[in-house]
Amino acid sequence: MITVNELQNFLEDNERQILAMDRMNLLKINAIDEETGVNIPGISYICCVDWPVGVTPFSQYSCSDGTDLLGIYDKENKKLYHKRINSLILNDELKSVVDGIGSINFKNLYRLVVKEVDNILQKEYQSLRVQKQIENYNYKNSDFKESFIEQRIEIFFEKGIKVYGETKEYELRLTAYDYAKLISDKKYAKDLAMRYLFNKPEYRDVTNFEVNIEAYIYRQAKLNFYRNINLNDDDKKLLSLFKGISEANNARTVKIEYQQGNKSTEITVNVDEIRRRYDHSDGYSFSEYVITTMKATDKFYKDFKDEEDNRLGHILLKGIKKVKYGRKVLFEEK
């Protein structure tokens, strides 16, 4: 197995292109500028190869003709930038050697491009055009209200606090050449950012720039709705019900005291199912299939299905009077 010094000497040696190892060789290839056809000064691809003949590292992800890109070496600054080392190709000893020379992961370069993408988008997000679109966003209450209530129900059943932040899903798809150019000139990050933004994603007729603007307008309109939301009595009852049920830690089932017209009953329901099967569209109700046994489900459906008030035979939110876990009352209608 090679040592840190052996790897460092190999990287620094202008004449040496191959470093023999136990299971494979390391191959050093001059990085060529695809625009000019000449070498990028001081930049080399470092590859793991079975046969170091006629190989080119096209991508940081792909393995072609027995070649896998390990990293890119910047001789002028004596830095090795490397991809995530695949343990199926490289053993832990080589990883420790790579770490030992103070190497830098490609993700640090990737962040430079993401930062440029963010900078360009943030300026547009603050533009009058985008702000007007957020202000005039056309939505129905149902578009955002259901997700608002679902988020809060999820929070009830989670330990700790869940923060719903903005997620970025930039697919930059940088190649080994992109990284080589970026290492030699950090300003190249802006060119890569512009390439990403003004390319069209697969199956879309608009550019990534417009895709991100649309997503931002939707998120901000949604947040504005959340800040100013007015819950009706059924919304408040639903949240109060779930908040109470969530306080019965690890409860698999709870008992519901139910009344509809002049009929009443007590049913045992599955907690996970009642979380999944509530329905705003049918007047705030739950499927009868949240009941734990088929016999009890069939009886409930037969007793409470009503063509005028409960045509689907569901458990209506307005009919739930009390929820208990053992002797503990989790919810009671006021």
Side-chain angles (χ1 to χ4, degrees):
M1 187 60 202
I2 63 172
T3 65
V4 171
N5 285 337
E6 286 174 327
L7 179 58
Q8 189 74 59
N9 290 337
F10 167 68
L11 295 173
E12 290 294 318
D13 193 327
N14 289 329
E15 304 299 325
R16 193 175 180 187
Q17 285 189 287
I18 301 172
L19 177 62
M21 295 171 55
D22 295 337
R23 293 188 296 163
M24 63 189 67
N25 299 324
L26 288 187
L27 176 66
K28 183 170 57 181
I29 308 171
N30 290 334
I32 305 298
D33 192 317
E34 294 176 0
E35 296 175 8
T36 63
V38 300
N39 291 350
I40 301 174
I43 304 295
S44 302
Y45 297 118
I46 310 301
C47 304
C48 298
V49 295
D50 296 323
W51 303 281
V53 178
V55 289
T56 304
F58 293 105
S59 168
Q60 65 148 322
Y61 303 108
S62 66
C63 180
S64 176
D65 297 327
T67 303
D68 189 80
L69 179 69
L70 169 63
I72 300 173
Y73 189 63
D74 176 4
K75 185 177 179 183
E76 182 179 346
N77 297 295
K78 298 187 176 181
K79 292 180 180 178
L80 174 66
Y81 295 83
H82 70 90
K83 59 174 277 188
R84 185 177 68 84
I85 295 178
N86 189 337
S87 59
L88 295 176
I89 298 173
L90 306 172
N91 59 31
D92 290 338
E93 288 184 88
L94 179 56
K95 183 179 185 306
S96 66
V97 170
V98 170
D99 291 341
I101 65 171
S103 56
I104 302 168
N105 196 289
F106 278 174
K107 65 184 180 183
N108 292 288
L109 295 169
Y110 192 90
R111 289 185 189 123
L112 292 177
V113 186
V114 169
K115 185 177 179 181
E116 284 295 333
V117 171
D118 284 342
N119 287 340
I120 296 166
L121 287 173
Q122 286 297 332
K123 288 179 181 178
E124 185 62 21
Y125 291 160
Q126 302 309 313
S127 70
L128 185 61
R129 174 180 81 91
V130 170
Q131 294 302 313
K132 283 290 185 183
Q133 285 182 269
I134 294 168
E135 185 180 333
N136 299 322
Y137 191 87
N138 184 26
Y139 57 80
K140 298 176 183 177
N141 281 5
S142 59
D143 292 342
F144 294 150
K145 182 186 273 189
E146 286 190 31
S147 65
F148 174 88
I149 290 176
E150 285 168 3
Q151 285 185 12
R152 270 129 198 91
I153 290 172
E154 285 301 312
I155 290 171
F156 294 151
F157 289 89
E158 290 174 353
K159 293 181 179 178
I161 298 173
K162 186 168 184 178
V163 178
Y164 292 87
E166 179 180 327
T167 58
K168 299 183 180 69
E169 298 180 352
Y170 306 149
E171 293 185 29
L172 302 180
R173 299 184 182 276
L174 303 184
T175 66
Y177 172 70
D178 293 330
Y179 284 116
K181 287 277 285 184
L182 193 54
I183 290 167
S184 65
D185 180 10
K186 298 298 189 293
K187 293 179 182 178
Y188 189 65
K190 188 166 185 178
D191 292 341
L192 293 175
M194 296 297 283
R195 184 184 76 186
Y196 160 76
L197 284 169
F198 292 99
N199 274 349
K200 291 183 179 180
E202 213 171 349
Y203 311 118
R204 293 293 299 265
D205 290 329
V206 293
T207 64
N208 283 316
F209 181 81
E210 285 302 321
V211 169
N212 281 285
I213 297 298
E214 288 173 10
Y216 177 78
I217 291 169
Y218 177 84
R219 285 194 303 269
Q220 293 306 115
K222 191 174 185 178
L223 286 174
N224 287 345
F225 177 87
Y226 283 6
R227 291 187 192 104
N228 301 297
I229 193 169
N230 290 315
L231 298 178
N232 62 34
D233 290 341
D234 284 335
D235 297 324
K236 292 173 184 177
K237 180 175 179 178
L238 183 69
L239 290 177
S240 179
L241 173 76
F242 276 115
K243 187 174 189 303
I245 294 174
S246 72
E247 291 171 358
N249 292 333
N250 303 316
R252 294 185 179 181
T253 63
V254 294
K255 291 186 181 296
I256 290 177
E257 291 184 9
Y258 184 82
Q259 182 179 337
Q260 186 178 317
N262 60 359
K263 297 179 182 179
S264 62
T265 188
E266 183 176 83
I267 50 177
T268 301
V269 300
N270 182 295
V271 171
D272 285 337
E273 287 298 307
I274 206 168
R275 286 171 63 187
R276 287 197 311 115
R277 292 180 181 266
Y278 74 89
D279 185 4
H280 290 94
S281 64
D282 189 39
Y284 296 83
S285 65
F286 303 89
S287 166
E288 70 277 18
Y289 292 107
V290 303
I291 300 171
T292 54
T293 67
M294 186 57 69
K295 182 179 179 180
T297 300
D298 291 341
K299 186 177 187 309
F300 182 91
Y301 181 81
K302 182 179 179 181
D303 290 346
F304 292 98
K305 182 178 183 298
D306 183 289
E307 289 301 327
E308 185 174 344
D309 298 322
N310 189 4
R311 59 187 178 80
L312 298 176
H314 283 178
I315 301 167
L316 304 180
L317 179 66
K318 64 184 179 182
I320 298 174
K321 303 304 176 183
K322 187 183 291 187
V323 179
K324 298 184 295 183
Y325 180 55
R327 294 183 178 180
K328 184 177 180 182
V329 176
L330 305 175
F331 167 82
E332 187 169 11
E333 188 174 59
K334 297 178 181 178

